Amino acid sequence: MSKLRVAVLGAKGRIGSEAVRAVEAAEDMELVAALGRGDKLETMVEAGAEVAVELTDPESVMGNLDFCVRHGIHGVVGTTGWTDERLARLRGWLDAVPGTGALIAPNFSIGAVLTMRFARQAARFFESVEVIELHHPNKADAPSGTATRTAQLIAEAREQAGCAPQPDATSTALDGARGADVDGVPVHSVRLRGLLAHQEVLLGGEGETLTIRHDSTHHSSFMPGVLLGVRRVVSAPGLTLGLEHFLDLD
Ligand SMILES: NC(=O)C1=CN([C@@H]2O[C@H](COP(=O)(O)OP(=O)(O)OC[C@H]3O[C@@H](n4cnc5c(N)ncnc54)[C@H](O)[C@@H]3O)[C@@H](O)[C@H]2O)C=CC1
Ligand SMILES: O=C(O)C1=N[C@H](C(=O)O)C[C@H](O)C1
């Protein structure tokens, strides 16, 4: 069986270095390029990469994906900073190169994917819902990509179910006290030394609350999802948003 030829972009970063180790350890994959900032993307083409695992930063990701798609290299993308406009641009590039696929995974860990799924399921049954994400203080963006996606999924579910806007009688507040508003869902970001990646979804109704909490305590939590993405993206042309599409969830 021939091995999948994989490149990692952002190979010296916190998650990128873990991905390099995971790809090297996978029996069905060969790491053919491990690129850091300033390295030439052409190296991937010369090395015959079939899939690029993109783990850089929001400033770099679009240029890297543009290059990958133009060269028929599939993308498995964990980098954050996605907007509707960016997703539409990526879809356009993928449409122009039929057969090429890209997975955008706001979170590669199974627990985080399930948190998003459970939050979406629960959202319509409660009057109130807020998201708290907690990360290490070196994280560049806030809110996290996972929290943003979680809030979007909650908002979609509530809109489909015809839920009323959340009750909130706040009439005066310090800037930021009520968090960021993501499609009507308050999202609060904590940055704390000692943490890695954590999220709570708080749901409240009359006389009860439900808390869904997920903790990634090591970057290894993301690796089964990264490897699954690499294996599946080669036969999933176009844009796949969320690892859940590659998991057999109900
Ligand atoms: N989807 C997921 O499950 C996860 C996503 N992330 C996301 O991955 C991204 C990276 O996170 P960290 O590793 O913590 O950051 P980091 O800052 O430790 O690593 C990023 C690396 O990318 C490099 N880089 C920047 N531009 C580049 C370019 N054009 N080509 C090649 N390398 C380049 C940087 O020099 C750095 O070494 C962030 O957006 C983060 O939110 C992080 C963990 C899990
Ligand atoms: O920067 C991180 O660390 C993480 N980034 C992703 C995000 O923004 O959601 C995934 C995970 O939370 C870790």
Side-chain angles (χ1 to χ4, degrees):
M1 190 188 69
S2 68
K3 295 188 178 194
L4 271 170
R5 300 174 68 78
V6 181
V8 175
L9 304 179
K12 296 196 175 104
R14 280 176 288 269
I15 182 169
S17 52
E18 190 77 26
V20 164
R21 284 190 286 277
V23 170
E24 281 177 330
E27 288 185 351
D28 57 342
M29 293 178 201
E30 183 184 354
L31 182 75
V32 296
L35 304 186
R37 191 189 290 277
D39 288 343
K40 285 201 167 68
L41 294 173
E42 286 75 12
T43 308
M44 285 190 289
V45 180
E46 287 156 15
E50 295 165 271
V51 181
V53 180
E54 218 291 349
L55 301 165
T56 63
D57 61 39
E59 282 72 44
S60 304
V61 64
M62 293 306 281
N64 286 345
L65 289 178
D66 182 20
F67 180 92
C68 288
V69 175
R70 277 190 287 110
H71 290 84
I73 299 172
H74 308 281
V76 170
V77 185
T79 303
T80 44
W82 290 95
T83 59
D84 289 345
E85 184 274 325
R86 282 182 165 218
L87 290 171
R89 246 192 302 158
L90 176 56
R91 270 196 194 94
W93 297 338
L94 289 162
D95 286 348
V97 188
T100 306
L103 164 69
I104 309 293
N107 202 305
F108 286 112
S109 92
I110 181 69
V113 172
L114 290 174
T115 299
M116 288 186 256
R117 164 66 62 116
F118 298 154
R120 196 191 72 184
Q121 276 180 322
R124 70 189 168 97
F125 296 107
F126 293 85
E127 266 187 274
S128 306
V129 53
E130 308 218 359
V131 177
I132 306 172
E133 56 95 340
L134 311 91
H135 280 80
H136 58 89
N138 303 105
K139 182 165 176 56
D141 55 326
S144 69
T146 308
T148 302
R149 186 68 188 140
T150 305
Q152 289 167 346
L153 291 168
I154 289 168
E156 274 170 31
R158 289 172 73 85
E159 191 185 341
Q160 277 165 21
C163 294
Q166 302 204 42
D168 182 353
T170 308
S171 56
T172 59
L174 277 180
D175 274 358
R178 294 291 292 117
D181 179 333
V182 179
D183 296 349
V185 179
V187 178
H188 310 268
S189 297
V190 176
R191 297 290 174 264
L192 201 71
R193 186 68 68 202
L195 295 182
L196 198 150
H198 317 259
Q199 177 163 289
E200 283 189 4
V201 181
L202 310 179
L203 301 118
E206 198 60 45
E208 64 173 335
T209 65
L210 170 66
T211 302
I212 307 169
R213 180 173 173 114
H214 173 256
D215 300 274
S216 270
T217 54
H218 193 273
H219 277 97
S220 53
S221 63
F222 305 113
M223 293 308 120
V226 169
L227 298 182
L228 176 68
V230 170
R231 291 182 183 114
R232 293 290 300 273
V233 75
V234 293
S235 49
L239 180 64
T240 301
L241 180 56
L243 187 70
E244 60 273 22
H245 298 288
F246 291 168
L247 293 164
D248 293 325
L249 301 175
D250 56 49

